[in-house]
Amino acid sequence: MEVIKVEGGHPLGGEVTVEGAKNSALKLMAATLMAPGVTTLTNVPNIADVHVMGKVLKYMGAKIDVLGVHTLKIDTSEVDKWETPYHLVAQMRASTAVLGPLLSRFGKAIVAMPGGCNIGARKIDMHILGLEALGVKFDIDHGNIHATTPNGLNGTVVTLDFASVGATENLMMASVHAKGITTIDNAAREPEIVDLANLLNEMGAKVRGAGSPVIEVEGVSEDLHPVEHRVVGDRIEAGTFVAMAGLAGGPVTVKGFEPVHLGLVLKKFELMGLNIVRGPHQCTVSRKGSIHSIDIQTLPFPGFPTDMQAQTMCLLAQGDSSCVITENVFENRFMFASELQRMGADIRIEGHHAIVHGVQKFSGAEVKSPDLRGGAALVMAGLVADGVTTVSDIHHIDRGYERFVQKLTGLGAKVERVEVPDPEIVD
Ligand code: UD1
């Protein structure tokens, strides 16, 4: 098995460029199903989750050419299956993003029911309720969701209980050809939603209001047409490097994203004592004094992103006093804390609150990535820990960070991927 080894204590400095956003690229790839022909996506990150979405599309009959590393030409003209099997959904829950596009193009879809995942149950009830309101009939059978549209899709008002990213996206895509107007109320407002709406509009859809809590989709009767589109920069990858620079001291310039997409994160980091200079598509981060302990709570955009919670906890674990981090988006997203405790952090979990008492130092240890962002945050802790930190289960990190080790090495970190024997299994 492969692990990431980090030797602590080396300063970080220089420049790093982030890739296109994972959470956008996956949905844009799914949306290509709606426009028969060859859609070109540029700035696509070369990460494991994108490879899984590629497998999903190919399973349905799409052809994919990779140009260079970051450009995908996706030909969906011969797609003749509307089914996503469990072995693919089990690898990546976001495979369910094909539900909306398949309903829109074929009026039917079979998608394996996602199981729980390590950051919580991650239900899809809001996707189902919203699509039912548009006229979709669902049957759940042998672990698969069978969706049909016996009377077509009809625009209506769908009010989401929670501003779910995935439900907003599936509804936006399913309603592109629905009769009349579909209104998604309490819609998610993430930059990736806006990127998807832009792609759909370039393809000929009529989506208005993306980025606000009310999205209107006016159904069009013509087929969508393929286009060329650049994936928005990854604000979470950028935020991860910003947090790392803040912990290690910097200065580091992070390029390839829109600082406004990290608005509240950068503001909170400034309150924590980081010095951040914003520029066009980049920011430069450094820190001289101590890290100030402040409370954080995660919320849908423009609130503080849950995907930045672990990296922020890592910073606050070296804060100058105590604070509370409240996780409002996912249950079970504090597994990272117990690994960080192994490195000397002082964190107590109470329900969806983490009480964090700052410590002066982390000590290098063997730790395990609990999930994608938690894995990155453990490598981050290793950058400033005494001695060597070994992070295992790094397949989580590979899901969402391209050339993570190379990028950190480029900033001056002492970090490498190392093959180690599998630990012995003891019953
Ligand atoms: C997406 C992102 C993920 C990010 C999250 C929140 C992708 C591939 N993933 O996940 O990185 O952390 O947004 O910003 O884009 N929920 C329900 N029922 C539903 C749908 C969601 O109860 O039908 C719950 C979820 O369990 C979770 C919360 O709502 O607790 C938010 O989920 P959602 O916004 O849908 O996140 P994802 O789209 O899964």
Side-chain angles (χ1 to χ4, degrees):
M1 79 174 181
E2 254 192 323
V3 297
I4 293 180
K5 276 201 168 180
V6 197
E7 190 181 291
H10 299 275
L12 284 196
E15 286 181 9
V16 62
T17 301
V18 301
E19 311 303 323
K22 166 179 94 71
N23 289 350
S24 193
L26 297 174
K27 321 307 168 57
L28 301 179
M29 289 173 75
T32 64
L33 289 167
M34 300 166 66
V38 184
T39 290
T40 304
L41 296 177
T42 61
N43 202 31
V44 179
N46 183 18
I47 50 175
D49 274 9
V50 161
H51 303 163
V52 177
M53 186 54 92
K55 284 189 211 163
V56 170
L57 298 182
K58 283 184 187 164
Y59 180 88
M60 291 186 279
K63 294 193 186 76
I64 304 183
D65 275 340
V66 184
L67 304 187
V69 184
H70 297 125
T71 298
L72 301 184
K73 280 191 169 291
I74 307 178
D75 183 351
T76 56
S77 36
E78 284 172 30
V79 167
D80 57 358
K81 274 207 197 91
W82 36 87
E83 183 180 349
T84 309
Y86 183 61
H87 74 272
L88 293 173
V89 176
Q91 282 179 54
M92 187 184 68
R93 213 183 158 282
S95 312
T96 49
V98 297
L99 185 55
L102 291 175
L103 285 167
S104 174
R105 175 153 168 195
F106 299 109
K108 53 189 167 183
I110 304 174
V111 176
M113 193 69 185
C117 78
N118 44 0
I119 60 170
R122 304 190 85 168
K123 296 178 293 208
I124 55 164
D125 54 326
M126 279 188 267
H127 303 230
I128 291 183
L129 282 172
L131 292 168
E132 275 176 347
L134 293 177
V136 181
K137 298 274 173 259
F138 286 98
D139 267 320
I140 297 182
D141 183 24
H142 300 293
N144 290 320
I145 300 167
H146 294 254
T148 50
T149 52
N151 303 310
L153 289 161
N154 293 292
T156 185
V157 178
V158 178
T159 303
L160 296 176
D161 280 359
F162 182 89
S164 153
V165 171
T168 302
E169 290 165 339
N170 259 329
L171 284 164
M172 218 161 67
M173 293 192 277
S175 56
V176 156
H177 297 302
K179 278 194 207 85
I181 293 192
T182 301
T183 304
I184 309 168
D185 193 11
N186 195 23
R189 291 185 263 170
E190 273 67 2
E192 294 77 26
I193 301 273
V194 177
D195 203 18
L196 176 60
N198 288 344
L199 174 84
L200 295 174
N201 286 338
E202 288 153 15
M203 288 174 156
K206 288 193 176 161
V207 181
R208 296 184 285 266
S212 83
V214 182
I215 296 179
E216 268 190 4
V217 185
E218 185 180 330
V220 294
S221 47
E222 310 79 47
D223 279 350
L224 298 194
H225 53 82
V227 292
E228 177 167 335
H229 182 94
R230 181 179 169 84
V231 179
V232 67
D234 196 323
R235 66 195 162 104
I236 304 298
E237 187 191 359
T240 304
F241 285 114
V242 169
M244 286 176 161
L247 186 66
V252 169
T253 299
V254 184
K255 297 182 156 181
F257 79 108
E258 305 306 322
V260 55
H261 292 166
L262 274 182
L264 188 58
V265 174
L266 298 185
K267 189 175 151 211
K268 291 283 181 188
F269 282 1
E270 283 173 325
L271 291 173
M272 286 159 65
L274 275 57
N275 180 33
I276 301 175
V277 181
R278 295 159 179 79
H281 321 299
Q282 65 173 55
C283 70
T284 300
V285 191
S286 58
R287 179 175 60 87
K288 292 244 156 51
S290 55
I291 297 171
H292 308 310
S293 299
I294 60 166
D295 294 344
I296 297 283
Q297 58 167 323
T298 65
L299 283 170
F301 192 87
F304 197 94
T306 175
D307 288 351
M308 281 301 301
Q309 186 251 101
Q311 304 89 314
T312 306
M313 184 184 288
C314 186
L315 269 170
L316 291 169
Q318 294 213 338
D320 55 7
S321 81
S322 302
C323 62
V324 179
I325 300 177
T326 302
E327 173 57 57
N328 291 312
V329 180
F330 287 110
E331 73 263 46
N332 286 358
R333 223 179 185 182
F334 282 143
M335 284 171 305
F336 157 75
S338 45
E339 293 300 308
L340 197 61
Q341 278 163 347
R342 304 196 62 248
M343 298 178 69
D346 182 353
I347 302 167
R348 198 174 78 241
I349 304 297
E350 291 200 356
H352 67 130
H353 304 290
I355 296 106
V356 183
H357 303 289
V359 296
Q360 299 266 308
K361 264 274 164 229
F362 297 145
S363 62
E366 284 183 33
V367 287
K368 214 179 191 180
S369 293
D371 53 44
L372 167 58
R373 307 302 167 186
L378 289 169
V379 174
M380 170 176 166
L383 295 173
V384 296
D386 273 343
V388 174
T389 298
T390 305
V391 184
S392 59
D393 280 4
I394 60 171
H395 58 274
H396 288 298
I397 298 176
D398 292 336
R399 283 186 41 218
Y401 291 94
E402 180 182 324
R403 290 175 291 121
F404 193 51
V405 162
Q406 289 91 321
K407 288 187 185 185
L408 281 171
T409 306
L411 292 173
K414 270 231 156 179
V415 48
E416 56 180 343
R417 293 174 79 108
V418 183
E419 269 301 329
V420 295
D422 278 335
E424 275 180 48
I425 296 166
V426 183
D427 277 336

